[in-house]
Amino acid sequence: QVQLVESGGGFVQPGGSLRLSCLGSGFTFSTYAMNWYRRPPGKEREFVASIRSGGDTNYVDAVKGRFTISRDDGKYKMYLRMNNLKPEDTAVYYCNVRLDWTDYWGEGTAVTVSS
């Protein structure tokens, strides 16, 4: 079955960096666009970034210039490099893929940005 597993979250000071990873299985990884979402404390889940099968990317305005999404289809992995982290980036980050009209989610990895 479809599975998505995130890793790489942790505690970091403002201005620091982290790289998140998502390992996908149970579907033809190279065929589908992949997405990152996040849920800040007390807020709804929100879109962060996407990468299409051909490599085109899209970002929410709040992270443009700081975050970089990428993928390695040979490893069935997607990444999110996060630089110059801000307290507002604190959230649980989720990997997502949409196929057969259904959204699939990982369990999330927590990122805390605080002094």
Side-chain angles (χ1 to χ4, degrees), residues 25-97:
S25 62
F27 63 102
T28 306
F29 190 91
S30 62
T31 301
Y32 293 93
M34 301 292 295
N35 313 287
W36 286 103
Y37 285 75
R38 67 186 181 187
R39 188 191 297 275
K43 296 184 177 181
E44 299 295 317
R45 185 158 54 193
E46 64 187 22
F47 171 81
V48 177
S50 65
I51 182 166
R52 296 186 179 184
S53 61
D56 290 340
T57 60
N58 190 41
Y59 302 89
V60 68
D61 285 346
V63 309
K64 287 182 178 178
R66 300 188 298 119
F67 290 12
T68 302
I69 189 171
S70 61
R71 65 192 297 161
D72 186 338
D73 291 339
K75 297 181 179 179
Y76 311 116
K77 281 190 173 182
M78 175 182 63
Y79 306 96
L80 185 68
R81 182 70 188 185
M82 305 183 295
N83 294 326
N84 192 24
L85 283 160
K86 303 177 179 180
E88 307 91 270
D89 297 317
T90 295
V92 177
Y93 284 72
Y94 298 91
C95 181
N96 163 264
V97 63

